[in-house]
Amino acid sequence: MGGDTIAAISSAAADSGIGIVRISGPDSFAVIDRIYRSKSGNRKLSGEKSHTIHYGYIEDEGDVIDEVLVMIMRGPGTFTAEDTVEIDCHGGVCAMKRILETVIKNGARLAQPGEFTKKAFLNGRIDLSQAEAVMDVIQAKNEYALKNSVSQLKGSIRKEISELRERLLYHIAYIEAALDDPEHISSDGYGEEIAGEISQMREKILHLISTADNGRILKEGIRTVIVGRPNAGKSSVLNKLLGEERAIVTEIAGTTRDTLEETINLNGITLIITDTAGIRETENIVEKIGIGKAREKLEDADLVLYVVDSSEQLNENDAAIVRMLRTKKAIVLLNKSDRKTVTTREMIEELIRNENGAAKEKNGSRCSGALPKEENESSEKSPEKQEIKSSRREETEYPVLSISALKGTGIDLLEDKLKEMFYQGKISLNDEVCITNMRHKELLMEAKESLDRVWESITLGMPEDFLTIDLMGACRALGDITGETSSEEVVNEIFGKFCLGK
Ligand code: GDP
């Protein structure tokens, strides 16, 4: 198998209970033999059985550095497919660093980020999509993302892509063989023969591409914007979500207060709430309605939470907000359910129906006097965009949930609704392949375009050798997903993003 022997701290480089220094490569056992001493004396670990654990000390020229457990694993049955040694030491940064230094002094070199996984890839133990899934497992923000990454790690994408590639390679080989030996193999009419299969492959690729939107949400979280009239309870809802016992909160302050984002983990669902600074701090009335800065955020938002004060009457501001939502997935939170109800579910549903209906008549280009200035401007700016959005809007249903941010009632309904709207129960099925990596999505789109061209050539009755160029194009794009055809540069770039020690 060859290659260098590399080493790195594989656990976090921070004080913790246990630290792990990992060594991988042909000299791993030679290195450990030089620095390990068992309690009873000088037993060499290279003579021990594979996949065993040994208790002893790591020494540097006679100095005991730490008391350790050493795991020895012979390749190819290891993560990298090479001989591997893992030293479990005390998890102090100093102890881990000293052990790593000693390992390096005795014949290993410091690993680059992701180099262990790169070895696993280069040694053919995993493909590129599985290597990328390793990082996704580490970075998974919620249990859904974790589940999906583990399924990719087990090879779900590899399997789908390999099946498609094998069929394409078969057809390319057949056409090429016919060109080489036309006397014995005929490719006449081969295009028509494979047309049905090409069409099926295209459908399959399109389906995979269609999972990517959900995939991004799964991986990164649901980009959420909260809007509503002043005092409707936007801050209270946000605080309730942040304050949930189950919530894990991280604040990422941007360059300005307007770009503050908070990530909330609600029972496995990740919400990235943007513009929370706008919700909390601003006194500006338009901002308070949530239409100013929120409008920009809305463009990218996956979800809008529209907070309505059920103890107050609806007014023109609500109408303006509803019109703004027309292209979006939204949930109406009928807040203050602990108070006497003035605005009912039926009233808000009627408002939505009326506003949506009004927009439909004018196909999105209507300028109502009640609309705030920005709304008029944006409608005039891009009628085409509005048109597309209006037609999409008809599919949009806004669930209305009765909650009390003050008492904390109804928040569980929100969780259920989010699961229904974004995860559609599909994630629980382990075999559902979901594209979460944008590199994969782009390559799938390339493959699809190549197949479009194959299809076009078939319909135009082009000669069969014409098909191979685009069949190969599709094959190469798919091969780049699994790494079979990727350049060294691409491979290096992918592993360069990994963390050290992985
Ligand atoms: P925002 O301007 O939309 O961010 O609204 P706030 O969250 O600041 O809430 C405005 C007022 O409504 C505050 O006094 C809150 O305590 C109150 N409030 C918010 N939610 C509820 C609720 O569910 N029930 C009741 N009774 N009051 C609420």
Side-chain angles (χ1 to χ4, degrees), residues 228-237 279 288 307 335-339 403-407:
R229 273 163 45 193
N231 288 324
K234 298 183 292 295
S235 311
S236 306
V237 167
I279 295 166
K288 272 239 163 187
V307 184
N335 190 33
K336 308 197 186 180
S337 62
D338 54 294
R339 284 198 183 160
I403 67 158
S404 164
L406 191 74
K407 305 258 184 230

Side-chain angles (χ1 to χ4, degrees), residues 120-371:
F121 166 66
L122 293 176
N123 292 332
R125 220 188 64 77
I126 53 174
D127 79 341
L128 207 50
S129 71
Q130 288 169 300
E132 288 171 302
V134 168
M135 219 43 215
D136 291 342
V137 168
I138 294 173
Q139 290 170 350
K141 288 197 178 73
N142 59 55
E143 64 179 285
Y144 291 98
L146 180 63
K147 208 170 210 170
N148 189 66
S149 304
V150 169
S151 140
Q152 293 189 8
L153 184 60
K154 279 159 68 185
S156 57
I157 290 197
R158 175 187 195 160
K159 185 169 170 284
E160 295 268 327
I161 301 298
S162 301
E163 279 170 12
L164 287 167
R165 251 192 116 232
E166 260 168 42
R167 292 305 299 159
L168 289 172
L169 282 171
Y170 175 84
H171 296 312
I172 294 168
Y174 185 89
I175 295 172
E176 301 223 315
L179 289 175
D180 282 350
D181 186 7
E183 277 177 32
H184 297 101
I185 308 171
S186 162
S187 67
D188 282 352
Y190 198 66
E192 280 111 78
E193 226 174 89
I194 63 170
E197 194 180 342
I198 295 294
S199 161
Q200 275 173 13
M201 284 188 191
R202 212 182 139 272
E203 287 302 313
K204 200 164 187 181
I205 292 175
L206 271 175
H207 172 73
L208 284 173
I209 295 171
S210 77
T211 66
D213 253 1
N214 240 12
R216 180 187 53 72
I217 285 171
L218 194 71
K219 190 168 170 179
E220 295 169 10
I222 305 168
R223 285 196 294 252
T224 308
V225 174
I226 304 181
V227 296
R229 273 163 45 193
N231 288 324
K234 298 183 292 295
S235 311
S236 306
V237 167
L238 176 65
N239 287 336
K240 194 71 219 158
L241 291 172
L242 292 173
E244 283 288 296
E245 253 181 77
R246 293 157 294 177
I248 302 164
V249 182
T250 47
E251 280 197 41
I252 312 153
T255 43
T256 70
R257 70 185 175 88
D258 294 331
T259 58
L260 192 78
E261 272 188 6
E262 293 184 74
T263 302
I264 299 175
N265 210 329
L266 274 183
N267 248 354
I269 303 166
T270 306
L271 294 184
I272 305 166
I273 306 215
T274 49
D275 204 22
T276 53
I279 295 166
R280 280 174 163 166
E281 292 167 24
T282 183
E283 290 306 314
N284 176 311
I285 190 79
V286 178
E287 282 299 298
K288 272 239 163 187
I289 300 169
I291 317 191
K293 284 279 184 304
R295 179 190 305 278
E296 292 163 23
K297 295 283 176 191
L298 271 184
E299 282 285 308
D300 297 332
D302 303 310
L303 171 75
V304 183
L305 293 179
Y306 168 30
V307 184
V308 178
D309 183 344
S310 65
S311 68
E312 297 270 339
Q313 293 212 334
L314 292 169
N315 67 23
E316 262 312 305
N317 286 331
D318 292 291
I321 292 171
V322 168
R323 283 196 290 274
M324 199 173 71
L325 299 184
R326 61 173 77 121
T327 61
K328 288 283 159 192
K329 274 193 178 170
I331 299 178
V332 182
L333 298 175
L334 210 44
N335 190 33
K336 308 197 186 180
S337 62
D338 54 294
R339 284 198 183 160
K340 190 168 175 295
T341 308
V342 176
T343 292
T344 61
R345 171 188 300 268
E346 288 71 29
M347 288 171 181
I348 186 84
E349 279 170 354
E350 197 189 335
L351 178 76
I352 291 168
R353 261 197 311 278
N354 287 343
E355 290 307 320
N356 280 352
K360 206 190 291 177
E361 277 167 29
K362 295 276 182 179
N363 216 0
S365 58
R366 189 178 75 138
C367 300
S368 150
L371 285 174

